[in-house]
Amino acid sequence: MNLGFYFCLLLGIIFLILGIIFAFLKEKGAMLISGFNTLPEREREKYDKERMSRDQRNLFFLWCGVFLIGGALSYFVNTYCAIPAFAIWLVLFFHEVHIDTEKAFGKYRK
């Protein structure tokens, strides 16, 4: 049993589904972004919601690709190939996490 393969496959599918959701929702998908939905309505109008949703969609597809490649390597090469995939995802994830609202959404100001 190759747990690394199943782990990567599961996360890849989850991120693929999330990316598809953001692709279908387009501008409305911005409300699913953590922290943005808690802003007052007047503040939300100051941001480009379509670009936010598109960037989040692309981020989910990137994460999906990382895990699917890690899963394929884990299946065909070695079970431990899932570990670098997870490490790469952690770096990408923490690069996008911001506590300050301005840092998180500042690049999306209209």
Side-chain angles (χ1 to χ4, degrees), residues 65-101:
V66 167
F67 278 115
L68 291 181
I69 291 170
L73 290 174
S74 177
Y75 186 79
F76 292 112
V77 178
N78 189 336
T79 301
Y80 297 110
C81 289
I83 295 170
F86 186 72
I88 291 169
W89 174 77
L90 278 176
V91 169
L92 293 172
F93 176 78
F94 283 113
H95 182 264
E96 293 297 322
V97 172
H98 303 285
I99 295 174
D100 182 30
T101 305

